Amino acid sequence: AAVSQSAITMHPQPGALAIELPDDVWQRVSDYLQSTTLSEVCSKLWGLLQGQHLQLGIASISQMTSKMPKWKPAIRSLEIVSNMQLALDADLQLLNLEVHHEKVDDRGAQALASALKDAPQMHALYLNLSDNSVGSVGAYALATLKSMPSLQILCLNLSGNSMYNSSAESLAALRDAPLLHTLHLDLSSNAVKDSGAEALAALKKAPSLRVLSLNIGHTQVGDVGAQALAGLKDAVRLHSLHLNLKDTEVGSCGAEALATLKDAPLLHTLSLDMRNNYLGS
């Protein structure tokens, strides 16, 4: 749970702490919870933790100006429901941005990528751009997120956009993010085919990637693409892999290739969704 605007303005009654802990420990607990809960316990924690975890529903830059606190707290996590361009605090560490079904096109994706890619402290980014009109140009821009200096976790939902093979080829460049250990990439319900899947198989070269969730369901990926994705068994550090190939054109040959993933020496968790494909009897 994140901090609502009403929580930002409330002032708890002063009281003594039941447990005395150093300020940095309270800070770590608050970061883990990403909640206003601790700041409401007593006046001391209110002063220490207020306004560090925010959730704002915004339709315009003017609304952001009016809703953000008048003081300038060291915001540590921020969840925004918005379709606007962002000006980000340099200390921001986590961002959850929902821009679902808002007619975002390539220019919108470029604006977001431009605002995000240089965020110095951001280690976790959750970006939902599903059911928009982002195409190859926008995908190329979003691939520049690989240059975020602290990025460790990226969840990028591009389901139901205007993605083609060239889009997947661009996004495969996320493998070059040096600290990225968790990647959730959703390209379902797009016009991605075998060559797009072949490009995404290059994610096996990511130097730090340990968890990969790749959704290319409801696409035109077939056996050739599935055979390429089976090469993820050679990933240098991957220990958890989730592949969604539901409602694609993968047949028995592709399924047999993907079955070899179970033999990957480093893989601890494997999930394959192959429903509604022509796998034979």
Side-chain angles (χ1 to χ4, degrees):
V3 178
S4 65
Q5 178 60 21
S6 60
I8 292 173
T9 57
M10 68 183 297
H11 297 278
Q13 294 296 319
L17 278 173
I19 302 175
E20 290 292 341
L21 292 174
D23 289 352
D24 63 326
V25 175
W26 287 117
Q27 185 69 74
R28 287 179 180 271
V29 174
S30 178
D31 286 350
Y32 176 79
L33 294 175
Q34 293 177 24
S35 167
T36 181
T37 304
L38 283 180
S39 67
E40 298 172 7
V41 171
C42 67
S43 57
K44 177 182 176 179
L45 291 183
W46 173 256
L48 176 65
L49 303 173
Q50 61 173 318
Q52 293 192 1
H53 301 283
L54 307 181
Q55 180 186 66
L56 300 175
I58 299 167
S60 68
I61 195 73
S62 61
Q63 281 196 7
M64 183 172 186
T65 302
S66 63
K67 286 193 174 187
M68 288 295 285
K70 298 303 180 184
W71 69 91
K72 296 190 179 297
I75 300 172
R76 299 175 74 87
S77 73
L78 174 62
E79 180 175 352
I80 299 175
V81 181
S82 171
N83 61 356
M84 54 167 229
Q85 297 183 24
L86 299 174
L88 297 177
D89 190 295
D91 295 324
L92 194 63
Q93 297 182 15
L94 180 150
L95 177 64
N96 185 341
L97 183 58
E98 297 275 344
V99 201
H100 166 75
H101 197 62
E102 292 287 351
K103 300 181 180 179
V104 176
D105 58 10
D106 284 334
R107 290 190 301 173
Q110 287 175 310
L112 281 171
S114 178
L116 292 166
K117 65 183 179 66
D118 296 320
Q121 302 297 326
M122 190 177 299
H123 62 78
L125 174 60
Y126 304 86
L127 184 55
N128 185 352
L129 291 170
S130 60
D131 296 317
N132 284 293
S133 302
V134 180
S136 296
V137 173
Y140 182 84
L142 291 169
T144 65
L145 297 175
K146 68 183 181 181
S147 67
M148 295 176 68
S150 303
L151 187 64
Q152 300 176 38
I153 300 171
L154 175 61
C155 297
L156 184 56
N157 187 345
L158 292 165
S159 175
N161 276 271
S162 300
M163 299 279 125
Y164 294 90
N165 289 328
S166 58
S167 311
E169 291 166 6
S170 294
L171 292 166
L174 292 169
R175 66 182 181 273
D176 297 325
L179 302 180
L180 188 67
H181 62 69
T182 300
L183 174 62
H184 296 264
L185 180 59
D186 191 339
L187 294 176
S188 61
S189 300
N190 280 289
V192 177
K193 300 182 181 180
D194 282 333
S195 63
E198 288 178 301
L200 292 169
L203 290 169
K204 68 184 180 182
K205 299 177 182 178
S208 303
L209 193 63
R210 300 194 299 271
V211 178
L212 174 62
S213 176
L214 182 59
N215 186 349
I216 46 176
H218 300 276
T219 64
Q220 299 175 56
V221 173
D223 285 338
V224 173
Q227 288 167 340
L229 291 170
L232 290 169
K233 66 178 180 293
D234 300 321
V236 293
R237 295 203 174 183
L238 197 65
H239 66 64
S240 182
L241 175 62
H242 307 271
L243 286 179
N244 188 334
L245 288 158
K246 177 183 176 183
D247 286 306
T248 59
E249 298 179 5
V250 177
S252 57
C253 292
E256 289 175 7
L258 290 169
T260 65
L261 287 167
K262 71 181 187 302
D263 301 321
L266 300 180
L267 209 57
H268 299 161
T269 303
L270 174 62
S271 172
L272 292 176
D273 190 341
M274 302 287 294
R275 289 175 291 170
N276 301 334
N277 285 303
Y278 298 99
L279 303 180
S281 56

